[in-house]
Amino acid sequence: MNPSDDTVAMDEPEHSRREHLRQLFWTTASACAVPWLLPATARAKTSPSPFSHFGPLQAPNAHGLCLPAGFTARVVAVSGERPVATMPYVWHTFPDGGATFATRDGGWVYANNSEVASGRGGVGALRFDARGRVVQAYPILSGTTLNCAGGPTPWGTWLSAEEFPQGRVWECQPLGRPEDAVVRPALGCFKHEAVAVDPVHKMLYLTEDEPDGRLYRFVCAPRDWPSGARRPTLRDGTLQVLQVEGLAASEGPDGRLDVAKAQRVRWVDVVQPASPQAAVRSQLGTRAPGTPFKGGEGLWYFQGLVYFSTKTDNRIWVYDTQAYTLQTLYDFALTGPEDQVLSGVDNLTVSQAGDVLVAEDGGNMELCVISPDRRVRVLLRVLGQDGSEITGPAFSPDGQRLYFNSQRGGRTGPGLGITYEVSRVT
């Protein structure tokens, strides 16, 4: 069941200018023509998102989930159990980042990381048929360490990122096997968190989960992603870090700059790109290039904008790839009391209607929605699993179902991980 390697890059229009940040949300799906498998956003339909308009949370259901009226949920996988009774694969421990990929039979795959240490991590996959039934469960990466987040590619693969000082990024086939996965050293050696692809400028963005982590980009060399090529090889390019103008190297964005307003940035080549970057920064001290961010987490790209979260200061950032500007979209410290419901920001994704969904690592174990008017609402809350965190939010290809995990949750409370699906009642 291995997918073809024949893939194509996105054909996405460039925008001359962006609207004010209150309007900077994704409103259309990306265009792509991969024949076998695609990220959910690439083949999503334009039907209204059920996750844009909803009321207050109701009493917890049988799974301990508080949902708005009109929504339902089911468990699709539990760590330590077989998602499909007739298949040997046991769902992995500590599920983390994930994404869905449409299959040509009308179904889809949910690829999901396992954040386990000492070479016991990897990626598992759930395959759904066109009716939404789980029909297969299998590994697509094994023997890796602390696979935290990552990101889908426009050519239909999953980039799984390792979160430890020598961590790498692995490219996985959602319909493949562990032996099909390929390590991508050119994407850097550091505590990786998430990855996002900009197919227009032929770049990849990466977050780093360190107290002084950087926002990276990998600029594909022309021979790595030639004009007209269906995809890059991800072997040849330049690794860079973002530097906010007006700040010295290694100086944080707090204090002297009002980051609620757009700040000009530039990109600086990293030093010793093949070496662990935290160790390189330790050697260079204040000469280390790049602006530090306080624990980079979730990351997503669409139509020239890169959204990412930083957990220690509870911020959601937006980088404009055309204007070369950076500013905050959400800052917990600056929000009014009515919006101070989102804390412990972590993984993020976006609905077809342009709503940014942010998962909490801590907080109240909630998955929150930031709507285009910047209003923050709670979509769901998990009860009885306070020692856990919400991970891996991802929409089905038609945008009508939402998957997420409680990383250390179980059927009746704490556990080794549980994966849910949420949808509207029909």
Side-chain angles (χ1 to χ4, degrees), residues 382-395:
V382 181
L383 298 182
Q385 301 179 27
D386 291 345
S388 183
E389 62 183 272
I390 293 179
T391 63
F395 294 102

Side-chain angles (χ1 to χ4, degrees), residues 89 109 111-112 122-125 138-142 158 171-181:
Y89 183 67
V109 172
N112 180 253
V123 183
Y138 49 93
I140 60 174
L141 177 66
S142 60
W158 169 247
E171 187 169 16
C172 311
Q173 300 290 341
L175 289 175
R177 303 163 297 177
E179 52 266 37
D180 299 324

Side-chain angles (χ1 to χ4, degrees), residues 67-421:
L67 299 167
F71 284 82
T72 186
R74 63 170 175 152
V75 173
V76 294
V78 178
S79 298
E81 299 180 13
R82 295 182 181 182
V84 181
T86 57
M87 301 191 72
Y89 183 67
V90 173
W91 195 237
H92 49 268
T93 300
F94 300 157
D96 207 288
T100 65
F101 301 81
T103 54
R104 64 177 182 177
D105 61 359
W108 59 92
V109 172
Y110 178 56
N112 180 253
N113 285 346
S114 174
E115 194 180 17
V116 182
S118 305
R120 296 179 292 117
V123 183
L126 298 173
R127 184 167 183 174
F128 298 81
D129 66 13
R131 296 173 61 183
R133 298 174 299 186
V134 181
V135 294
Q136 288 182 306
Y138 49 93
I140 60 174
L141 177 66
S142 60
T144 50
T145 295
L146 295 172
N147 296 78
C148 194
T153 68
W155 50 91
T157 60
W158 169 247
L159 297 175
S160 179
E162 296 178 299
E163 188 192 354
F164 70 105
Q166 294 79 38
R168 301 290 191 177
V169 175
W170 294 76
E171 187 169 16
C172 311
Q173 300 290 341
L175 289 175
R177 303 163 297 177
E179 52 266 37
D180 299 324
V182 179
V183 66
R184 299 301 185 191
L187 299 184
C189 181
F190 51 88
K191 287 182 69 174
H192 284 276
E193 187 67 35
V195 187
V197 181
D198 173 357
V200 175
H201 300 100
K202 299 184 176 181
M203 300 174 183
L204 284 76
Y205 292 86
L206 309 101
T207 49
E208 180 182 19
D209 191 359
E210 293 273 20
D212 63 343
R214 270 40 173 186
L215 179 66
Y216 295 81
R217 75 174 184 183
F218 176 75
V219 183
C220 295
R223 62 185 178 185
D224 190 83
W225 199 342
S227 177
R230 296 182 172 184
R231 58 153 295 166
T233 66
L234 298 179
R235 297 192 185 103
D236 186 12
T238 303
L239 192 64
Q240 299 178 321
V241 287
L242 179 144
Q243 175 71 57
V244 177
E245 296 282 11
L247 295 178
S250 293
E251 182 183 1
D254 292 319
R256 294 199 295 109
L257 297 179
D258 180 4
V259 291
K261 299 178 180 179
Q263 303 293 329
R264 292 284 299 176
V265 307
R266 57 190 173 91
W267 292 88
V268 183
D269 292 354
V270 303
V271 179
Q272 302 174 34
S275 301
Q277 287 302 296
V280 173
R281 288 198 300 269
S282 179
Q283 295 171 1
L284 293 176
T286 58
R287 296 181 293 112
T291 297
F293 293 93
K294 296 179 178 180
E297 293 285 348
L299 177 74
W300 209 267
Y301 168 91
F302 192 74
Q303 292 187 345
L305 300 170
V306 176
Y307 296 81
F308 67 99
S309 62
T310 51
K311 63 184 180 184
T312 303
D313 52 12
N314 280 307
R315 287 172 167 174
I316 307 297
W317 302 79
V318 181
Y319 168 65
D320 187 322
T321 63
Q322 180 170 307
Y324 275 55
T325 58
L326 175 75
Q327 66 188 102
T328 54
L329 176 68
Y330 172 83
D331 188 336
F332 179 84
L334 300 180
T335 57
E338 70 280 0
D339 285 337
Q340 284 193 330
V341 297
L342 173 58
S343 62
V345 300
D346 203 301
N347 291 168
L348 58 82
T349 190
V350 173
S351 76
Q352 295 175 19
D355 301 296
V356 178
L357 274 70
V358 185
E360 289 188 335
D361 177 357
N364 293 325
M365 279 291 290
E366 294 172 342
L367 186 61
C368 296
V369 176
I370 307 175
S371 56
D373 62 0
R374 294 199 184 190
R375 188 161 61 98
V376 182
R377 296 169 295 159
V378 180
L379 175 63
L380 61 86
R381 180 183 301 129
V382 181
L383 298 182
Q385 301 179 27
D386 291 345
S388 183
E389 62 183 272
I390 293 179
T391 63
F395 294 102
S396 59
D398 64 0
Q400 301 302 297
R401 305 172 192 239
L402 173 67
Y403 298 94
F404 75 95
N405 314 283
S406 173
Q407 190 180 74
R408 292 175 294 281
R411 289 189 183 274
T412 58
L416 299 177
I418 186 167
T419 303
Y420 302 95
E421 177 193 90

